[in-house]
Amino acid sequence: MGKFLVKQTKSGFKFDLKAGNGETIATSEIYTTEAACLNGVESVRKNAPIANLEDQTVEGFETATHPKFEMYTDKAGEFRFRLKARNGEIIAVSEGYKAKASCQNGVESVRKNVADAPVVKEEA
């Protein structure tokens, strides 16, 4: 089972969604307060299971409605995804994947892992 790891950084708070094997599958932006960060966790919980998938790696891709996962290629040619909430805000992003299939697996892993993932606070 996955978990949300909330940690304090120099400039605020962020969370990592970890898979059962300990791998990070998605990361948040930096939030100014812990409460805002926990709201971000709830937003991912609420949006990820129902989010559409917009594959921006194909030409002439169809635009999906929010909430959605956007799959795209970065400057290094790696595949990444970002999860956007209903309001269009980015609430989680992935690392770079060499293969598109791995990126798609990452999206599915987020969908599966968020529902009952506990929130764990990392002590500084």
Side-chain angles (χ1 to χ4, degrees):
M1 179 171 70
K3 66 182 177 186
F4 286 98
L5 184 62
V6 173
K7 53 187 164 189
Q8 189 164 10
T9 67
K10 285 186 177 72
S11 52
F13 292 84
K14 68 175 251 192
F15 66 80
D16 290 327
L17 175 60
K18 302 271 190 182
N21 64 3
E23 289 286 308
T24 299
I25 46 181
T27 301
S28 74
E29 65 180 354
I30 303 292
Y31 293 94
T32 50
T33 65
E34 185 177 358
C37 184
L38 293 173
N39 284 343
V41 167
E42 287 312 309
S43 185
V44 170
R45 264 194 229 278
K46 194 170 69 190
N47 289 290
I50 59 167
N52 296 299
L53 179 62
E54 182 176 287
D55 185 351
Q56 298 178 353
T57 67
V58 295
E59 219 174 294
F61 65 88
E62 208 171 298
T63 305
T65 55
H66 294 101
K68 67 181 172 183
F69 284 96
E70 292 177 342
M71 192 166 44
Y72 64 98
T73 42
D74 64 16
K75 288 184 180 85
E78 291 189 323
F79 295 93
R80 293 179 178 266
F81 66 81
R82 57 188 157 237
L83 174 59
K84 289 188 167 183
R86 284 186 192 280
N87 63 3
E89 292 261 323
I90 297 172
I91 49 178
V93 296
S94 74
E95 63 186 13
Y97 294 94
K98 299 247 179 280
K100 184 175 179 176
S102 300
C103 187
Q104 289 167 318
N105 288 342
V107 168
E108 289 312 310
S109 187
V110 171
R111 284 190 170 129
K112 282 197 297 250
N113 280 289
V114 295
D116 48 8
V119 174
V120 178
K121 293 178 186 169
E122 184 177 85
E123 296 307 316

